[in-house]
Amino acid sequence: MSETNSAADVAAPHRYTAAMAADIEARWQDFWDAEGTYEAPNPTGDLAGDPELAAKPKKFIMDMFPYPSGAGLHVGHPLGYIATDVYARHQRMSGHNVLHTLGFDAFGLPAEQYAVQTGTHPRISTEANIENMTAQLRRLGLGHDKRRSFATIESEYYKWTQWIFLQIFNSWYDTDADRARPIAELVAQFESGERATPDGRDWSALSAAERADVLSDHRLAYASDAPVNWSPGLGTVLANEEVTADGRSERGNFPVFKAKLRQWNMRITAYADRLLNDLDGLDWPEAIKLQQRNWIGRSEGARVDFPVDGAGSITVFTTRQDTLFGATYMVLAPEHELVERIIPAAWPDGTHPVWTGGHATPAEAVTSYRKQAAAKSDVERQAEAKDKTGVFTGAYATNPVSGEQIPVFIADYVLMGYGTGAIMAVPAHDARDFAFARAFELPMRCVVEPSDDRGTDASTWEDAFGSYEAKLVNSANDEISLDGLGVVEAKARITDWLKEHGVGEGTVNFRLRDWLFSRQRYWGEPFPIVYDEEGIAHPLPESMLPLELPEVDDYSPRTFDPDDADTQPETPLSRNADWVNVTLDLGDGSGPKKYRRETNTMPNWAGSCWYELRYLDPNNSEKLVDPAIEQYWMGPREGQPTGGVDLYVGGAEHAVLHLLYARFWSKVLHDLGHVSSAEPFHKLYNQGMIQAFVYRDSRGIAVPAAEVEERDGAYYHEGEKVSRVLGKMGKSLKNAVTPDEICGEYGADTLRLYEMAMGPLDVSRPWDTRAVVGQYRLLQRLWRNIVDEESGEVTVVDTEPGEDTLRALHKAIDGVGGDMAGMRFNTAIAKVTELNNHLTKAGGPLPRPVAEALVLLVAPLAPHIAEELWRRLGHTESVVHQDFPVADPAYVVDETVTCVVQIKGKVRARLEISPSITDAELEALALADPAVVAALDGAGIRKVIVRAPKLVNIVPA
Ligand code: ANZ
């Protein structure tokens, strides 16, 4: 019988073909939708009043939701969605109440850029894209609870995004209680005098603007004039996480400059310790945890004050306070605000000419150097290999332990955004300080004795000595000596000394910065913030939410020459005077007043920071989420101390952006009592990528992969030889294959099987359209084992299966169930295939219990054909909620194993025995075996060594 999808199909009217698959799949998809087959019930209030639900464990399974791109899906996109669907179906069949749905992360730049080009409102293009992707996804037969789906651009959704922003704005971090609290409680502390105001005046003596400033220093969402990443070419500012390692915009690859602009920030740094510590309780890939740990970047060290005549002191952050006696100069970041205060009018007498950079005065030198530094990215500035640049400020500071006067420089290798923006330089023991000291002819002092043979005269060294495995030298004053101590001990000693003398203390510093939260874009959530005539920010009352985006004609932020750092952002919303200038009664007792709206929008990360919560209770118009419902699906439980989604599947590229931001929002909502979970995602799984071959002609231009021919191991396009490499799949590389094409040619079940069979889920794999047919044939054989291709009749018989078949079946059940629970879908498919082949080979009609179990095994993977066969087998209930088969252990163990019997190390017999045989039974069997008896030939036995069930070794007397 031919197995191709060709004219031969016509001969068998009831063969499983693409046309039949299309019919089956459409029919059951309609049915499932109409029946609400995948709808997961929420607990109604108290679980105790809902015994049926209380008896079932729950599983909340999620995918990282897609951005509805205009290009639609290619076959790489659904890999994770199919995997979670198979997993969810198996969990559902294993007795869980499963919540699985999918929404759309629909604010974002592409729709806005498309709007700028075409004048189409981003909402219109986005909604069209959502419709298209929804149809593509539906074709795959994903078992989603569709009632729970939404797009982040729906005002009913972003109303709550704005609401959360208000919660964050209206709270502060209480470091004593180690949690966020309502800002009103902080105000009460100021009012009662329990907490002093910064300048010690009474709270009531402060003006409204002064109070607002004080509170702004505590709020978890605050506007500030800090230096931000400004990309003139994009026309917007960016978060640190959106700037690439070489200091350009992740999107668009434009230069990024540091500019002081008033922007909204989220005080994520208040949560640095908790974000770090709570990683331990999460079931996430170690690589992702490590990336988060590095991003948060906890460093233990000390703050040390270096007095400067007439200008207070310079505070540095150091992780090597043990080397304090070796600090021979200091460096401030060029932008440091102390610079203005310490520079003298003229260079001090005897200033080294190299230090001045040829400038007539310190002020001139500083101004010129600052300009030069502003044009560089942080990464360029920090590059280890780069020549060190800088300039003397003309000021000296006092080393607090040696009492020495040491020169203060500004240099771009010190960043304003890290530590205190100032360092003590220890050239003998820090590589960058060493290079700088060499360039500026500064002294170096060895204070940690090198363990190699370079000696202690640092001026003769080739490089800094940075090892911790050594003892301190040259480190004593009248009061303290570190000499002879190891680094760790010396650190502890000097830290105590600094504290006792009030010139420093031990501290922990984080690399994590506050999250820059405003963007100069149109297509994002408007801030629920207005400014009064004094410029004080006021939150909108909850009753004014959602604050909807105004209609505009021009969607683009103003963009500039990408290299022009001296530009200022201008937002699309600011051009809309009617929307911006409003008279409102905020309900704060001051009556209707004139206000100006905030014209920035939120970054596209906002909507994805909390969407898991909305899936739980999507239509709640009173609350973000009902607490009982949240507690049921996400609350802490055994093994999940911080709660969260049971399984979250997505790409590894979200290690620090989305996943860090979502964790932060979760913690704020948890602290404020809105949710019981302190983490959004308990288990994280990163799926691999589906890659595709890219074919390029001699000019390096990609040619359509579908038109390439292979001859003798070489590849040709229109007669010309082309090169082939494995790369990403996508429109621009002309190698995209759409799920629609594959569904059309073979059906969705085949596509699902193929994607799951390609390899382990977490490994990247190349797409090969020609291999898809293999899974199509598996489904055809499955069909043929149950349905007669000529008559369309079910062929199963009501007989008991034979022993052989029962063994094959129960081994498959056991293996497939374990593989599905462990997300090893490729091996699950291999086991189904093996079973199906076994049944095909055995020939004859299948006994009913075997046919039914086979269909149930396949159901999570290929749900449409399974539902069809299940019904044809006479069932009236959907296959979706059937129990997954359970293996009978009696049939799972191999029936016999081979035991080798040796005499003096030589194999004399092989016994087929039960694997559970005891040593004594086995010994008796072996000694009774005719071959053994013959070989012993009457000799007595000295010793019998038995290793049941595999080996018996007989030592004759
Ligand atoms: C003196 C010293 C001596 C240092 C020595 C290192 C070695 P991590 O581990 O990344 O936290 N540093 C501090 N603030 C800086 C800034 N704003 N820009 C550039 N460098 C800065 O690094 C901490 C170390 O980085 C600090 O310890 C400081 O140099 C430098 F043998 O202080 B160290």
Side-chain angles (χ1 to χ4, degrees):
M1 214 185 292
S2 162
E3 284 193 329
T4 53
N5 175 27
S6 68
D9 293 339
V10 182
H14 297 279
R15 173 167 299 176
Y16 182 80
T17 60
M20 186 190 278
D23 167 61
I24 290 174
E25 291 172 2
R27 228 171 345 101
W28 290 117
Q29 284 164 11
D30 289 346
F31 176 87
W32 292 328
D33 277 355
E35 295 287 307
T37 303
Y38 302 105
E39 292 178 2
N42 272 342
T44 44
D46 184 7
L47 254 194
D50 199 342
E52 201 184 320
L53 210 53
K56 271 188 169 189
K58 61 89 197 181
K59 267 278 150 79
F60 183 9
I61 298 164
M62 256 177 75
D63 305 272
M64 289 184 186
F65 65 167
Y67 174 78
S69 128
L73 299 174
H74 60 59
V75 289
H77 294 117
L79 178 69
Y81 308 152
I82 295 171
T84 48
D85 186 53
V86 176
Y87 182 76
R89 286 173 182 275
H90 175 251
Q91 292 293 313
R92 203 180 276 118
M93 293 176 76
S94 310
H96 292 86
N97 183 25
V98 170
L99 198 172
H100 191 207
T101 188
L102 192 70
F104 293 94
D105 188 14
F107 277 123
L109 215 47
E112 183 177 301
Q113 282 171 341
Y114 186 72
V116 171
Q117 282 159 22
T118 63
T120 317
H121 195 289
R123 177 173 301 284
I124 295 183
S125 59
T126 305
E127 283 173 355
N129 295 346
I130 290 177
E131 198 175 320
N132 176 41
M133 263 172 81
T134 302
Q136 283 189 297
L137 289 166
R138 186 174 187 275
R139 184 73 185 82
L140 301 174
L142 303 170
H144 293 161
D145 183 342
K146 293 184 180 164
R147 302 166 311 163
R148 296 175 184 265
S149 177
F150 53 76
T152 53
I153 55 171
E154 292 164 16
S155 58
E156 268 316 293
Y157 180 82
Y158 73 69
K159 165 184 171 179
W160 294 102
T161 309
Q162 292 171 332
W163 182 88
I164 296 172
F165 176 86
L166 292 180
Q167 303 304 305
I168 300 174
F169 175 78
N170 282 321
S171 46
W172 60 293
Y173 203 83
D174 180 344
T175 46
D176 295 330
D178 209 12
R179 65 179 175 86
R181 294 174 60 185
I183 198 83
E185 296 177 13
L186 182 70
V187 173
Q189 291 188 0
F190 281 126
E191 276 171 349
S192 71
E194 179 189 341
R195 182 183 289 262
T197 60
D199 64 6
R201 277 183 297 156
D202 258 14
W203 184 249
S204 58
L206 267 53
S207 70
E210 285 169 333
R211 287 181 192 176
D213 281 348
V214 171
L215 293 181
S216 182
D217 285 342
H218 291 270
R219 289 184 191 276
L220 289 182
Y222 63 96
S224 83
D225 289 311
V228 295
N229 305 304
W230 161 233
S231 173
L234 273 182
T236 186
V237 299
L238 297 167
N240 289 348
E241 290 84 349
E242 292 167 317
V243 180
T244 62
D246 53 355
R248 300 175 78 87
S249 61
E250 196 175 41
R251 197 174 267 284
N253 196 29
F254 288 110
V256 173
F257 301 94
K258 283 274 177 229
K260 254 193 176 178
L261 298 168
R262 188 153 190 86
Q263 297 293 329
W264 283 93
N265 290 277
M266 293 257 163
R267 209 177 296 279
I268 189 171
T269 50
Y271 283 86
D273 257 322
R274 283 168 62 189
L275 288 169
L276 196 64
N277 295 339
D278 282 355
L279 281 174
D280 294 342
L282 300 181
D283 183 1
W284 284 20
E286 267 315 310
I288 302 281
K289 287 193 184 182
L290 188 65
Q291 283 183 66
Q292 288 219 349
R293 287 195 186 105
N294 289 341
W295 189 262
I296 297 167
R298 186 178 194 275
S299 293
E300 278 183 29
R303 282 175 195 260
V304 188
D305 299 330
F306 288 67
V308 184
D309 274 348
S313 59
I314 299 172
T315 304
V316 303
F317 170 71
T318 176
T319 48
R320 291 298 305 272
Q321 59 270 38
D322 56 302
T323 63
L324 189 48
F325 283 92
T328 52
Y329 69 99
M330 301 187 77
V331 184
L332 298 177
E335 309 84 347
H336 202 294
E337 58 187 18
L338 265 183
V339 174
E340 280 83 3
R341 286 203 265 143
I342 61 171
I343 48 174
W347 295 117
D349 286 345
T351 296
H352 194 310
V354 185
W355 296 4
T356 65
H359 292 284
T361 62
E364 233 184 83
V366 165
T367 309
S368 147
Y369 188 74
R370 280 182 162 175
K371 213 176 225 144
Q372 179 189 329
K376 284 190 205 151
S377 73
D378 283 1
V379 177
E380 281 174 284
R381 285 170 54 161
Q382 287 244 297
E384 208 66 60
K386 143 182 146 13
D387 285 341
K388 294 286 172 284
T389 64
V391 72
F392 182 40
T393 60
Y396 283 84
T398 311
N399 181 323
V401 287
S402 68
E404 251 174 321
Q405 288 289 102
I406 58 177
V408 181
F409 283 74
I410 55 171
D412 64 7
Y413 77 96
V414 174
L415 304 177
M416 196 55 230
Y418 190 74
T420 61
I423 66 159
M424 65 178 210
V426 185
H429 303 291
D430 179 272
R432 285 175 302 170
D433 297 345
F434 187 93
F436 190 89
R438 270 284 143 86
F440 288 85
E441 301 182 17
L442 286 154
M444 307 191 186
R445 178 174 313 122
C446 167
V447 292
V448 182
E449 188 171 16
S451 41
D452 49 29
D453 55 10
R454 60 172 82 186
T456 54
D457 180 1
S459 67
T460 63
W461 296 355
E462 302 276 307
D463 56 9
F465 177 75
S467 170
Y468 273 46
E469 304 296 317
K471 300 240 180 303
L472 275 281
V473 289
N474 299 329
S475 296
N477 63 22
D478 296 344
E479 297 178 27
I480 181 172
S481 170
L482 305 176
D483 290 346
L485 299 181
V487 168
V488 175
E489 218 182 324
K491 275 193 192 189
R493 282 283 283 281
I494 193 73
T495 307
D496 288 345
W497 188 90
L498 291 168
K499 176 125 198 177
E500 277 162 30
H501 289 71
V503 288
E505 61 180 340
T507 179
V508 173
N509 188 63
F510 290 94
R511 183 175 170 270
L512 183 69
R513 294 286 75 126
D514 278 346
W515 170 20
L516 177 84
F517 196 71
S518 37
R519 297 291 183 281
Q520 289 68 50
R521 314 242 48 123
Y522 173 74
W523 194 226
E525 299 87 347
F527 281 79
I529 290 285
V530 290
Y531 299 92
D532 64 20
E533 282 163 338
E534 281 186 76
I536 299 175
H538 296 265
L540 290 182
E542 210 178 309
S543 60
M544 289 186 186
L545 303 184
L547 171 62
E548 301 207 21
L549 276 170
E551 297 300 320
V552 301
D553 301 324
D554 179 4
Y555 305 106
S556 45
R558 189 154 160 224
T559 56
F560 304 88
D561 172 352
D563 295 309
D564 188 354
D566 294 328
T567 44
Q568 288 264 337
E570 181 188 301
T571 68
L573 296 187
S574 65
R575 294 183 211 119
N576 208 302
D578 289 350
W579 184 82
V580 173
N581 301 305
V582 283
T583 301
L584 299 171
D585 182 350
L586 299 181
D588 55 3
S590 55
K593 275 171 57 175
K594 279 191 178 161
Y595 296 99
R596 200 184 139 73
R597 289 195 197 277
E598 168 65 55
T599 64
N600 283 297
T601 51
M602 298 188 198
N604 62 321
W605 308 106
S608 57
C609 267
W610 71 281
Y611 71 119
E612 72 283 357
L613 295 170
R614 197 62 183 168
Y615 282 156
L616 305 180
D617 198 10
N619 301 315
N620 196 331
S621 56
E622 302 295 312
K623 279 199 173 111
L624 178 78
V625 55
D626 181 302
I629 293 175
E630 187 273 335
Q631 164 81 41
Y632 171 77
W633 289 110
M634 288 186 62
R637 58 201 69 220
E638 176 94 42
Q640 303 184 357
T642 42
V645 174
D646 295 289
L647 175 67
Y648 192 35
V649 173
E653 67 277 13
H654 289 295
V656 287
L657 290 154
H658 158 59
L659 287 173
L660 195 62
Y661 300 152
R663 294 184 62 216
F664 162 54
W665 279 33
S666 246
K667 292 190 182 305
V668 180
L669 291 172
H670 173 77
D671 285 358
L672 298 176
H674 299 298
V675 296
S676 67
S677 49
E679 285 284 339
F681 312 116
H682 175 71
K683 181 180 170 79
L684 176 72
Y685 187 98
N686 295 130
Q687 89 271 18
M689 286 234 296
I690 289 189
Q691 299 170 310
F693 287 112
V694 185
Y695 300 90
R696 294 183 192 276
D697 65 17
S698 55
R699 295 164 304 164
I701 300 195
V703 301
E707 296 168 13
V708 171
E709 291 164 39
E710 182 181 351
R711 282 197 300 273
D712 307 325
Y715 303 92
Y716 299 88
H717 178 247
E718 294 177 344
E720 195 203 333
K721 202 166 171 183
V722 291
S723 69
R724 183 181 93 151
V725 287
L726 208 49
K728 272 191 162 181
M729 183 177 279
K731 271 206 167 149
S732 59
L733 294 175
K734 300 193 182 134
N735 60 1
V737 178
T738 65
D740 316 56
E741 292 167 55
I742 303 299
C743 288
E745 202 160 336
Y746 300 106
D749 281 337
T750 295
L751 173 65
R752 292 170 60 106
L753 275 178
Y754 175 68
E755 295 219 353
M756 292 300 98
M758 287 168 84
L761 185 60
D762 56 354
V763 172
S764 292
R765 67 286 301 281
W767 177 265
D768 181 5
T769 298
R770 285 166 309 179
V772 177
V773 70
Q775 298 302 326
Y776 179 61
R777 289 185 183 138
L778 169 65
L779 293 179
Q780 286 187 316
R781 286 194 299 270
L782 168 74
W783 182 262
R784 201 180 298 136
N785 274 333
I786 299 177
V787 177
D788 185 299
E789 292 189 332
E790 293 301 326
S791 68
E793 296 295 317
V794 167
T795 56
V796 299
V797 288
D798 285 314
T799 53
E800 281 303 307
E803 169 97 8
D804 218 30
T805 296
L806 281 175
R807 287 195 183 282
L809 176 65
H810 285 277
K811 270 182 113 168
I813 291 174
D814 186 53
V816 172
D819 285 348
M820 283 188 178
M823 301 179 74
R824 297 181 299 271
F825 306 117
N826 57 327
T827 52
I829 292 170
K831 286 165 190 163
V832 168
T833 308
E834 196 183 319
L835 173 65
N836 197 52
N837 289 348
H838 173 96
L839 300 174
T840 307
K841 239 187 259 151
L846 292 189
R848 173 171 287 275
V850 177
E852 296 198 336
L854 178 64
V855 169
L856 294 172
L857 284 186
V858 169
L861 293 157
H864 309 89
I865 192 173
E867 185 81 280
E868 179 72 16
L869 289 171
W870 188 247
R871 302 300 179 130
R872 289 193 183 215
L873 284 165
H875 296 282
T876 51
E877 307 244 292
S878 169
V879 76
V880 172
H881 291 283
Q882 298 306 312
D883 289 340
F884 199 77
V886 177
D888 180 344
Y891 294 109
V892 173
V893 282
D894 282 321
E895 57 212 297
T896 60
V897 289
T898 306
C899 172
V900 176
V901 185
Q902 299 180 334
I903 300 175
K904 283 206 250 174
K906 234 173 135 186
V907 177
R908 293 295 181 174
R910 288 176 208 278
L911 309 174
E912 290 302 310
I913 45 126
S914 154
S916 56
I917 195 164
T918 64
D919 282 7
E921 285 170 344
L922 185 55
E923 180 174 339
L925 269 183
L927 293 176
D929 186 85
V932 173
V933 174
L936 281 173
D937 196 20
I941 293 163
R942 188 148 67 96
K943 203 159 104 190
V944 182
I945 302 154
V946 185
R947 298 268 177 277
K950 290 280 164 89
L951 178 80
V952 178
N953 199 353
I954 301 168
V955 186

